[in-house]
Amino acid sequence: TKEVIVVGAGLAGSEAAYQLAKRGIKVKLYEMKSKKKTEAHKTEKFGELVCSNSLGADNLANASGLMKEELRRMDSLLIKIADKHRVPAGQALAVDREGFSEDITKSLKAMENIEIIEEELVEIPKDKIVLIASGPLTSHGLSQKIGELTHTDYLYFYDAAAPIVTFESINMDIAYRQSRYGKGDGEYINCPMNKEEYYNFYNALVSAERVPLKAFEEEKIFDACMPVERIAMTGEKTLVFGPLKPKGLTNPKTDKMDYAVVQLRQDDKDGRLYNLVGFQTNLKWGEQKRIFSMIPGLENADFVRYGVMHRNTFINSTELLDKTLKLKNSENIYFGGQITGSEGYVSSIATGMMAAINIAHKLEGKAPLILDDRSAIGAMVKYITEEKKNFQPMGPNFGIIRGLDGERIRDKKERYMRISQIALDYLDSKLGEI
Ligand code: FAD
């Protein structure tokens, strides 16, 4: 019988298990969480969002939005479930994380072709088809085996996550609801700062005590997820032009723009929890309480989760994987998810799906499904499988999508919309192959 072992019921592994099972393939899905948790996973549910509850933009002028629409058209279970558990977040697809994971877990457990094995997989079976989707926090035992298998140094660096506070502890006499530039429905809560408040906060932030990193880890901090105190250290006004930018917001109490604004985004379905947007941090927890409580409106904030930093593991896919996400030097080992260097929730779902479809095609004797870089998913697979120097993980972006051929559109938004339309037309023409 056709059987595939999927390692990890995270975003990639859950999507992959569904794609295989719905094609009539038996899946043994290994997930270790009930016995052993990574540094960031907190629950035993599948498809757990370890940090932000936002899956990123959900409009076609954005590459992440395009990738989501492609995934919808390819019958992604996880995007379908995300759509169902959406919470208000302006133009982004943010979800109630509990409902999202609960639904994924139930859906997979209900599938006849999926057998769940609640164990850490350490030995990679040699005679079975295996899809490794064990994520950025792959267990140490398995990491070591993957290192042996790929004969290369295992790469990893550090990633950061933002703190979460309760809504009822936010002082709404100071903070106010509003979306930037009046877009959306006032989903964000804004904590305003005048110049003096900003500089007091800034000085405390840059001199706060951090969790020490080892020297080689220091070098590997990922730019896109730079801790807020690190951003601050690049210049005393950098935050005012970055995560604390006041542009597009008018304080209803003064009818003016503030000097700086900290935005909070809804984190759960019922709006009881809010995260500090852009506040990934490596400060010690006591320091986070002390310093983030200096933010006007958060003076009595109840922190339900502090920001953390974690390792992020990925293989050198550009050398190791072929375009079906199979290990070049093996007939039966595939990789999907963040461990391939496809960064972020949605790219992880996408590469998990693509590895699964290609495994299914191989088992069914069909031609592989290779999407080209007109599509966001194809561009991502191409990015992680084409040889390059200094390979770094990347999320969906228009920089890697093919773009317009000859046609000129000046307006950026219009141009991106046009590229997305080409991508979707192209994808639709390929849907017959799956
Ligand atoms: P995961 O979702 O991590 O799933 C892997 C699963 O494999 C886990 O459930 C794990 O328990 C299991 N596992 C590991 N080893 C074994 C083993 N040997 N045997 C059995 N099971 C195993 N992305 C974003 O888009 N937004 C964010 O805000 C964000 N924040 C992040 C914060 C942190 C701290 C980290 C580490 C990552 C963050 N990421 C974020 C990246 C995010 O992890 C990935 O985008 C996504 O979760 C990866 O999906 P995945 O399926 O590859 O791995």
Side-chain angles (χ1 to χ4, degrees), residues 324 358 361-362 366-370 430 433:
T324 65
N358 277 310
H361 279 204
K362 186 169 163 170
K366 285 192 197 157
L369 178 72
I370 315 286
K430 297 287 281 185
E433 291 178 32

Side-chain angles (χ1 to χ4, degrees), residues 273-328:
L273 303 177
Y274 276 77
N275 56 59
L276 279 66
V277 179
F279 270 63
Q280 313 84 287
T281 178
N282 188 38
L283 297 187
K284 290 191 168 166
W285 290 10
E287 291 287 78
Q288 292 187 34
K289 169 94 181 136
R290 180 174 71 85
I291 294 163
F292 299 154
S293 298
M294 292 172 76
I295 297 170
L298 299 189
E299 53 280 358
N300 293 315
D302 206 353
F303 287 83
V304 296
R305 199 165 85 192
Y306 286 105
V308 282
M309 291 192 67
H310 286 289
R311 76 191 151 92
N312 187 2
T313 318
F314 61 96
I315 57 169
N316 192 359
S317 307
T318 57
E319 275 180 28
L320 296 169
L321 301 184
D322 72 14
K323 292 199 180 311
T324 65
L325 302 177
K326 183 179 74 61
L327 206 56
K328 284 178 188 163

Side-chain angles (χ1 to χ4, degrees), residues 136-422:
L137 303 172
T138 293
S139 72
H140 289 284
L142 180 59
S143 289
Q144 208 165 7
K145 296 293 171 187
I146 294 170
E148 285 165 21
L149 187 74
T150 53
H151 307 296
T152 46
D153 283 343
Y154 220 58
L155 302 170
Y156 73 95
F157 61 91
Y158 270 67
D159 235 3
I164 297 179
V165 298
T166 60
F167 172 69
E168 58 176 17
S169 70
I170 302 169
N171 181 355
M172 292 302 286
D173 289 337
I174 295 178
Y176 59 92
R177 283 188 181 276
Q178 200 174 96
S179 300
R180 219 179 276 282
Y181 302 112
K183 285 183 184 161
D185 229 359
E187 292 91 352
Y188 287 84
I189 292 178
N190 303 283
C191 297
M193 285 183 180
N194 62 30
K195 193 166 176 181
E196 190 190 340
E197 287 162 341
Y198 173 76
Y199 276 96
N200 286 340
F201 170 77
Y202 172 82
N203 288 325
L205 183 62
V206 292
S207 57
E209 231 186 307
R210 293 181 271 159
V211 180
L213 297 179
K214 298 186 192 93
F216 68 95
E217 293 163 357
E218 280 281 308
E219 285 168 21
K220 294 188 170 177
I221 282 186
F222 185 40
D223 288 340
C225 212
M226 185 82 97
V228 65
E229 63 275 10
R230 285 294 200 100
I231 301 175
M233 287 164 98
T234 64
E236 53 177 29
K237 289 188 85 173
T238 314
L239 289 178
V240 181
F241 292 100
L244 270 66
K245 67 172 176 278
K247 271 188 103 175
L249 294 167
T250 308
N251 189 332
K253 278 144 199 142
T254 60
D255 264 345
K256 293 204 175 87
M257 186 170 95
D258 293 295
Y259 188 80
V261 175
V262 174
Q263 284 206 303
L264 309 182
R265 181 171 54 218
Q266 186 174 332
D267 201 84
D268 65 332
K269 187 166 121 239
D270 303 328
R272 282 197 289 257
L273 303 177
Y274 276 77
N275 56 59
L276 279 66
V277 179
F279 270 63
Q280 313 84 287
T281 178
N282 188 38
L283 297 187
K284 290 191 168 166
W285 290 10
E287 291 287 78
Q288 292 187 34
K289 169 94 181 136
R290 180 174 71 85
I291 294 163
F292 299 154
S293 298
M294 292 172 76
I295 297 170
L298 299 189
E299 53 280 358
N300 293 315
D302 206 353
F303 287 83
V304 296
R305 199 165 85 192
Y306 286 105
V308 282
M309 291 192 67
H310 286 289
R311 76 191 151 92
N312 187 2
T313 318
F314 61 96
I315 57 169
N316 192 359
S317 307
T318 57
E319 275 180 28
L320 296 169
L321 301 184
D322 72 14
K323 292 199 180 311
T324 65
L325 302 177
K326 183 179 74 61
L327 206 56
K328 284 178 188 163
N329 68 9
S330 152
E331 272 316 299
N332 55 327
I333 298 173
Y334 290 74
F335 283 83
Q338 177 132 337
I339 197 167
T340 65
S342 56
E343 169 78 17
Y345 300 147
V346 176
S347 300
S348 297
I349 296 171
T351 52
M353 175 192 267
M354 290 307 288
I357 292 176
N358 277 310
I359 291 172
H361 279 204
K362 186 169 163 170
L363 287 171
E364 292 160 355
K366 285 192 197 157
L369 178 72
I370 315 286
L371 296 175
D372 72 29
D373 59 356
R374 272 173 285 182
S375 63
I377 298 175
M380 177 54 62
V381 172
K382 184 173 171 204
Y383 174 78
I384 59 173
T385 56
E386 238 174 35
E387 286 202 23
K388 55 181 66 66
K389 276 194 191 133
N390 298 325
F391 172 56
Q392 281 297 324
M394 207 193 278
N397 66 83
F398 281 112
I400 59 174
I401 298 171
R402 191 186 296 178
L404 300 178
D405 193 15
E407 204 179 334
R408 277 232 172 122
I409 302 177
R410 276 231 174 139
D411 181 75
K412 201 158 94 180
K413 188 172 169 205
E414 262 178 51
R415 187 166 66 245
Y416 288 160
M417 294 296 285
R418 175 82 187 116
I419 294 172
S420 288
Q421 198 48 57
I422 294 171

